[in-house]
Amino acid sequence: MLALQGLTIMVVEDEFLVASLIEHMLEDAGCLVSGPFPRLAAAVNGATHENCDAAVLDVNLAGEQIFPVAEILSRRNIPFLFVTGYNGGSMPREYADCPRLQKPFKYLELVHALSDLVRPTGAA
């Protein structure tokens, strides 16, 4: 997908197989992958210091919520989307309208969601 070609995407996912699958999907779309980060502390460090164009965030990392990472990325103006097995009603109000993919998701769903995130405002 040309929209994602060459972009660096931060991946935060605690399940090894899911993280590997997301990483392969992104590489197939022409992305560079930062991570995957499997734990909150590593993800906070990555969100603070990594240079990335967007991020894919698992909501629950081994029992810890991802929202501190989302807050850091928001402050840095780095767009992100959540991936979760939970329904939308379990999201905190401040993140209820953020882009979200329900697990399991397909390659094209991930690529389209990320393309929408990184597309310049006003682009068709």
Side-chain angles (χ1 to χ4, degrees):
M1 291 301 222
L2 291 177
L4 301 178
Q5 187 72 37
L7 297 183
T8 300
I9 308 297
M10 179 179 168
V11 175
V12 180
E13 171 61 60
D14 64 336
E15 293 182 37
F16 176 78
L17 292 177
V18 176
S20 294
L21 181 63
I22 293 171
E23 185 174 14
H24 291 301
M25 287 176 169
L26 293 173
E27 288 171 348
D28 286 348
C31 299
L32 304 170
V33 175
S34 172
F37 298 96
R39 297 289 178 260
L40 185 60
V44 165
N45 186 55
T48 303
H49 299 290
E50 294 285 320
N51 289 322
C52 60
D53 298 293
V56 176
L57 308 176
D58 182 11
V59 172
N60 184 333
L61 292 178
E64 295 185 285
Q65 300 294 297
I66 194 65
F67 305 117
V69 173
E71 183 179 328
I72 293 165
L73 294 172
S74 292
R75 283 197 310 259
R76 293 184 65 200
N77 294 314
I78 297 172
F80 57 87
L81 64 87
F82 294 114
V83 293
T84 182
Y86 302 111
N87 66 32
S90 64
M91 300 292 284
R93 186 176 326 138
E94 63 265 33
Y95 298 112
D97 293 331
C98 289
R100 179 176 55 247
L101 286 178
Q102 190 77 24
K103 290 180 183 177
F105 52 84
K106 296 179 176 146
Y107 171 79
L108 285 178
E109 292 172 318
L110 177 63
V111 168
H112 288 304
L114 279 172
S115 295
D116 288 346
L117 272 183
V118 300
R119 181 178 295 131
T121 305

